[in-house]
Amino acid sequence: MKNQITSALSDFFFEYETPRQVLVRNKRVGLVCRFIQMGVLVYIIGWVFIYEKGYQSTDTAVSSVFTKMKGVGYTNVSGRETVWDVADYVFPSQGDSSFVVMTNFIITEGQKMGKCPELTGKCTSNDDCTEGSYKRTGHGHMTGVCVNTTKTCEVLAWCPVENDTIIPKPPLLTSAENYTLFIKNSVTFPLFDVTRSNLVEGIDGAYLKKCLHHPKNDPLCPIFKLGDIVKHSGFSFEDLAQEGGAIGIVIDWTCNFDVDVKHCKPQYNFHGLYGNKDSTNASLGYNFRYAKHYMENNEAKRTLLKVFGIRFDIIVQSLARKFDIIPTLTAIGSGVGIFGVATVVCDLVLLYLLPKRKFYKNMKFKYTDTHTQDPDSEAGSTETEQK
Amino acid sequence: MKNQITSALSDFFFEYETPRQVLVRNKRVGLVCRFIQMGVLVYIIGWVFIYEKGYQSTDTAVSSVFTKMKGVGYTNVSGRETVWDVADYVFPSQGDSSFVVMTNFIITEGQKMGKCPELTGKCTSNDDCTEGSYKRTGHGHMTGVCVNTTKTCEVLAWCPVENDTIIPKPPLLTSAENYTLFIKNSVTFPLFDVTRSNLVEGIDGAYLKKCLHHPKNDPLCPIFKLGDIVKHSGFSFEDLAQEGGAIGIVIDWTCNFDVDVKHCKPQYNFHGLYGNKDSTNASLGYNFRYAKHYMENNEAKRTLLKVFGIRFDIIVQSLARKFDIIPTLTAIGSGVGIFGVATVVCDLVLLYLLPKRKFYKNMKFKYTDTHTQDPDSEAGSTETEQK
Amino acid sequence: MKNQITSALSDFFFEYETPRQVLVRNKRVGLVCRFIQMGVLVYIIGWVFIYEKGYQSTDTAVSSVFTKMKGVGYTNVSGRETVWDVADYVFPSQGDSSFVVMTNFIITEGQKMGKCPELTGKCTSNDDCTEGSYKRTGHGHMTGVCVNTTKTCEVLAWCPVENDTIIPKPPLLTSAENYTLFIKNSVTFPLFDVTRSNLVEGIDGAYLKKCLHHPKNDPLCPIFKLGDIVKHSGFSFEDLAQEGGAIGIVIDWTCNFDVDVKHCKPQYNFHGLYGNKDSTNASLGYNFRYAKHYMENNEAKRTLLKVFGIRFDIIVQSLARKFDIIPTLTAIGSGVGIFGVATVVCDLVLLYLLPKRKFYKNMKFKYTDTHTQDPDSEAGSTETEQK
């Protein structure tokens, strides 16, 4: 018994099976098949490996973004000069990856809680103003009174109510065009354990002090002029500043870690979000309301700002690649499978399309019995007949 | 030499190898193997290709979200009527994808920096109140004094300290149920270079003015009533408004770009986050503190709000698919591999399980020598014996 | 005709093709090939299946994070004692996944709109101060006057302008080290339809009241001491607090849903962002400006804070795995393909390297004609010659 196992094992280890093959010497079939095989080979090597880099595994990054604006705005509304610095025009102030730069505003000063007539929505009698109800676009809580002088409902609200029918034109803070934006971005590819910052090699304090991003001359400088960003995303700054808009700043990290990690550098692209350029779009502009509260003569008051601004979303796109044995062998393995398909196709040609197909059939196949064998076989000497 | 290469090359191109095969005419083996092969074929075509769409490559989107609330809240606390508009009840104000709508609050007015007793944590003597130390849940910096009247430690803090033991019930801003939320969302699939907005074809300004999202009747209207969102996520508005909670609004972009891009439309789903419905959960509610600072009689004061609210997280899920040659051929290639496995299984049946296994073995194999050949082989005429 | 089809079909279903093979009994080739095949098998089973879990499909989660700080800070600047609570030192206040904890600040009180000289940028005459222009690092809008006393340009700005040349050392809010951070995080794996919260089984209200995260003793407690986070990320708290910095809190959900879902637990890691540890880095620190507005004697004033702080980014990394038939069969299928490659390699050895290669060639191949056959073939009795 033990001998048998040993012998079976030695048989197994010292033997090797290889498929027996027919070598068909036929120019037509040979050429067709070789070309099919070449095609598969070119596809595997050229497309899967070289073009699509199928020998690499991929990973996307987790990223962290911090922004900082610089610049001072100036408005002169009916003789009142005001300066707007970064604490006034950036929302939120702490440097998030998504923020709004105010470019235009409607200010309603000295609002306090009280009763005053609405601006819109005509009423003819008190019956039109149900007490305690609201309108979807109203400013407050109806008191049930239709004010005679304005012919609108009286509301309990922050009074006087905001009048936002006229948006200042040109936008009040056109100087926003000259503000600069500094972006710090770090990305980590967890699979490859690589961390990169957009302050890559060669960007030091001295360079940061004087550089300004330019797609050709300074593509790696992380300091951007707002006007440039808007221009590169295809808008006119004045149009966008008027009613606000949204711009995406895409930081693209497409990295190949088979080469030195220092070649992994960000690319900056800018494009409009929400399709503001498209005139058929349903909802244009970007605005929100913001209040500064204060106490005056023991009364709670507020200054309401309807802020029109450009919202910047910093979007980090990342795709890193590195050689990995698994996708490589999977690509090879499935490539071999496709080779098998090529063989099947050639066999079909050989066995069903060629004039000498019966001859080839007999060459290729050996039958375990003879009753269905083709009588007019071209090659008479098959092994089954020799029995 | 040159001739030899030419001849080798022409041999290579005009030749074609095809494996020689035994055609076993045996009903049992035939049926078993054909069914295994059919199973593999059905799996590859039916499952991998049709059901799992293995011929497509996939991509997830980068997305940008902007929100806007509308509506007015009204409170009447001990006769003091107040109206709350969007600048008062949304945090942050600039329309982020994650924001809080205030539904209840505890207000502490007129706080100023000073010394006052804590509300909780009994002390019996000054020794219990170490100067300069803090308690994890305390409001300030202990002065080292145990106040006689309250029997609590005196602290340097914003005084009077907030008393948040009683949460108003019913919630003060139940009118929040009627607020509406407008969501603008744009997604970009970088691999397929497609950008979509949730204001899809057919949603124009006129429709936006009057529509309200309804899962069946208006599934594409991006304006939502807060009460509806809460209801669809399985909560009661009043319960959630009382102590706050968190709701996820999932915008699902599952797109097939093999059909027209206009069929790529968002689906909106709502579900609770942090498992507030589950009573065993350790940490319920959602609240944060927020202060409005002001000056009164040259003193810095503040109004502290403990805000209970519903936090909405807009979560964009995206998966786009498009035909791609690589996954297609990889699927075919590995399918062919599985076919190979089927052949191996059938061979095992043929060579080890059938009664005529020795006959089939001799048909299938040719041996390079004869010494280990089976003496009682059923088919005596192997090629090696003919030598 | 119908008969023919029936017969062809029955032939097809009752037949089975299996490749004919040569069984080469050669120790060298046998050993080499068996070892290559064993290698492939070990690779497929050991590496692809067991190590890389190639039988599972993977999914990443959508996640939602909510944070809450606790703790009180205390400063004593020139005798003026101040207490800073959570409404004062966290930006933004509503508990986002990315927030800043103030650790140091430069305060400029009582600023109002007016004209005052800049702090830096010497001028010699009014010509150096072009009216209406700005400097990138300036505070306001130049009036065109060079102020004699300071020899700097006069600007329209919030006056007096901020003097941020001296950063307080040691940082004013070193007590921030003792603040605690509570993180609520829920993740949803859409592909597997599993939702998990970081308040996993066994974390109840009682445990949350007293626990503090410790990497070894309390790895699942979601309450962190700020000082511990900074220490674990490799910084000294005092260094970081001085000029600010950024720390990533990574919540790692690596889950295997082939085992019970309750084993899917988060891991917390901490690391510095923006490479602050690296002294060669171009841009250190983290700060932003923040203003509190108020009215005093009918004048709009503000208190400007230059906030130095630690920015915490909570980054959720997730990777869930579960058995899936498609990756399993793809792995098997491409593994069979690799087996095919092994066979090709062995055939090359057999047919081109062995001394008896011509004999093996004749065993393996059958030719459709004879004119190019090797005359000195060792095995003379090929089937074609027998014709």
Side-chain angles (χ1 to χ4, degrees), chain C residues 70 113 259 296 308 347 355:
Chain C
K70 278 236 163 89
M113 198 55 61
V259 297
E296 202 175 44
F308 298 88
D347 277 4

Side-chain angles (χ1 to χ4, degrees), chain C residues 202-224:
Chain C
I203 296 190
D204 52 17
Y207 180 69
L208 279 182
K209 274 221 173 70
K210 59 177 182 54
C211 81
L212 192 65
H213 182 86
H214 185 280
K216 288 237 173 87
N217 303 335
D218 288 287
L220 291 171
C221 176
I223 297 172
F224 304 85

Side-chain angles (χ1 to χ4, degrees), chain A residues 293-301, chain B residues 80 108-113 158-160 292-303, chain C residues 292-299 301 303:
Chain A
H293 293 264
Y294 59 91
M295 284 302 230
E296 203 175 42
N297 307 326
N298 291 319
E299 266 189 313
K301 292 195 174 180
Chain B
R80 185 166 141 197
T108 315
E109 290 182 300
Q111 283 190 322
K112 61 181 180 179
M113 199 53 61
W158 287 98
C159 287
K292 294 188 233 175
H293 293 262
Y294 59 93
M295 285 301 231
E296 202 175 45
N297 307 326
N298 290 318
E299 266 189 314
K301 292 195 173 180
R302 72 173 194 184
T303 298
Chain C
K292 292 188 235 178
H293 294 263
Y294 59 91
M295 284 300 231
E296 202 175 44
N297 308 325
N298 290 319
E299 267 190 314
K301 292 196 173 181
T303 298

Side-chain angles (χ1 to χ4, degrees), chain B residues 7 12 26 34 41 72 112 119 124 131 139 145 148 153 168 194-195 205 217 224 231 236 271 334 363:
Chain B
S7 141
F12 177 76
N26 179 305
R34 289 307 181 200
L41 210 69
V72 178
K112 61 181 180 179
L119 284 175
T124 50
E131 193 186 338
H139 293 90
V145 174
N148 265 327
C153 295
V194 173
T195 297
N217 304 335
F224 305 84
K231 201 177 63 190
S236 126
H271 61 82
S334 73
M363 294 292 278

Side-chain angles (χ1 to χ4, degrees), chain A residues 366-368 383-384 387, chain B residues 356-365 367 373-386:
Chain A
K366 175 170 154 186
Y367 300 90
T368 55
E383 292 107 354
T384 45
K387 272 191 259 174
Chain B
K356 286 173 75 186
R357 56 185 176 267
K358 276 169 191 154
F359 168 74
Y360 292 125
K361 215 172 202 163
N362 278 320
M363 294 292 278
K364 185 174 166 69
F365 292 110
Y367 300 91
Q373 204 179 335
D374 216 320
D376 55 358
S377 135
E378 288 173 58
S381 60
T382 58
E383 293 108 352
T384 45
E385 285 179 320
Q386 291 172 7

Side-chain angles (χ1 to χ4, degrees), chain B residues 11 15 17 19-27 29-31 33-35 37-38 43 47-48 52 91-92 96 98 100 111 113 115 134-141 156-158 271 273-274 281-291 293-295 298 302 304 306 311 313 315-317 330 333-338 340-344 346-347 350 363-373 383-384 386-387, chain C residues 11-26 62-68 70-75 81-88 92-97 175 178 180 182 184-186 188 190 195 197 199 203-205 208-212 223 290 292-297 303 324-334 336-337 356 359-360 362-367 372 379 381 383 386:
Chain B
D11 274 13
E15 272 175 18
E17 302 108 8
R20 296 178 67 186
Q21 300 196 300
V22 189
L23 210 74
V24 178
R25 287 230 170 73
N26 179 305
K27 288 194 182 183
V29 178
L31 273 176
C33 291
R34 289 307 181 200
F35 274 107
Q37 287 175 348
M38 293 291 257
Y43 158 78
W47 185 267
V48 178
E52 293 277 350
F91 305 88
D96 272 1
S98 171
V100 182
Q111 283 190 322
M113 199 53 61
K115 288 175 185 173
Y134 314 82
K135 280 195 201 151
R136 186 158 147 187
T137 52
H139 293 90
H141 191 254
L156 175 72
W158 287 98
H271 61 82
L273 300 170
Y274 318 129
N281 197 281
S283 177
L284 281 161
Y286 182 94
N287 62 74
F288 64 91
R289 284 180 183 80
Y290 170 74
H293 293 262
Y294 59 93
M295 285 301 231
N298 290 318
R302 72 173 194 184
L304 181 69
K306 181 166 181 176
R311 177 179 159 138
D313 272 22
I315 298 164
V316 179
Q317 254 178 41
T330 302
S334 73
V336 170
I338 313 238
V341 175
T343 299
V344 168
C346 291
D347 276 5
L350 190 75
M363 294 292 278
K364 185 174 166 69
F365 292 110
K366 174 172 155 186
Y367 300 91
T368 55
D369 55 8
T370 56
H371 74 277
T372 57
Q373 204 179 335
E383 293 108 352
T384 45
Q386 291 172 7
K387 272 189 261 178
Chain C
D11 273 13
F12 177 75
F13 274 106
F14 297 153
E15 272 175 17
Y16 165 65
E17 301 108 9
T18 180
R20 298 178 65 187
Q21 300 195 297
V22 189
L23 209 73
V24 178
R25 287 229 172 72
N26 179 304
V62 290
S63 102
S64 173
V65 174
F66 157 56
T67 58
K68 191 164 193 175
K70 278 236 163 89
V72 178
Y74 166 83
T75 57
E81 289 184 309
T82 314
V83 153
W84 302 81
D85 68 8
V86 75
D88 299 323
S93 51
Q94 75 265 15
D96 272 1
S97 68
S175 49
N178 295 313
T180 55
F182 170 48
K184 262 203 233 179
N185 171 222
S186 88
T188 301
T195 298
S197 155
L199 306 176
I203 296 190
D204 52 17
L208 279 182
K209 274 221 173 70
K210 59 177 182 54
C211 81
L212 192 65
I223 297 172
Y290 170 74
K292 292 188 235 178
H293 294 263
Y294 59 91
M295 284 300 231
E296 202 175 44
N297 308 325
T303 298
D324 190 5
I325 193 75
I326 300 231
T328 307
L329 287 179
T330 303
I332 293 175
S334 73
V336 171
K356 284 172 74 186
F359 168 73
Y360 291 125
N362 277 321
M363 295 291 279
K364 185 173 166 70
F365 292 110
K366 175 172 155 187
Y367 300 91
T372 56
S381 59
E383 293 109 349
Q386 291 171 6

Side-chain angles (χ1 to χ4, degrees), chain C residues 39-159:
Chain C
V40 171
L41 210 69
V42 165
Y43 158 77
I44 293 169
I45 292 173
W47 185 267
V48 178
F49 274 82
I50 294 171
Y51 186 76
E52 294 278 350
K53 300 202 172 54
Y55 57 89
Q56 292 179 320
S57 63
T58 60
D59 191 22
T60 54
V62 290
S63 102
S64 173
V65 174
F66 157 56
T67 58
K68 191 164 193 175
M69 294 290 306
K70 278 236 163 89
V72 178
Y74 166 83
T75 57
N76 186 337
V77 181
S78 34
R80 184 166 141 200
E81 289 184 309
T82 314
V83 153
W84 302 81
D85 68 8
V86 75
D88 299 323
Y89 64 70
V90 177
F91 305 88
S93 51
Q94 75 265 15
D96 272 1
S97 68
S98 172
F99 60 96
V100 181
V101 175
M102 178 162 70
T103 54
N104 205 359
F105 58 88
I106 292 168
I107 197 163
T108 315
E109 289 181 300
Q111 283 190 324
K112 59 180 181 180
M113 198 55 61
K115 289 176 184 173
C116 51
E118 272 281 11
L119 284 175
T120 54
K122 291 286 162 200
C123 63
T124 49
S125 77
N126 289 357
D127 298 346
D128 294 345
C129 308
T130 321
E131 194 186 336
S133 72
Y134 315 80
K135 281 196 200 150
R136 185 157 149 187
T137 54
H139 293 88
H141 191 254
M142 290 193 189
T143 58
V145 175
C146 181
V147 179
N148 265 327
T149 50
T150 58
K151 290 287 170 210
T152 55
C153 295
E154 192 189 58
V155 284
L156 175 73
W158 287 99
C159 286

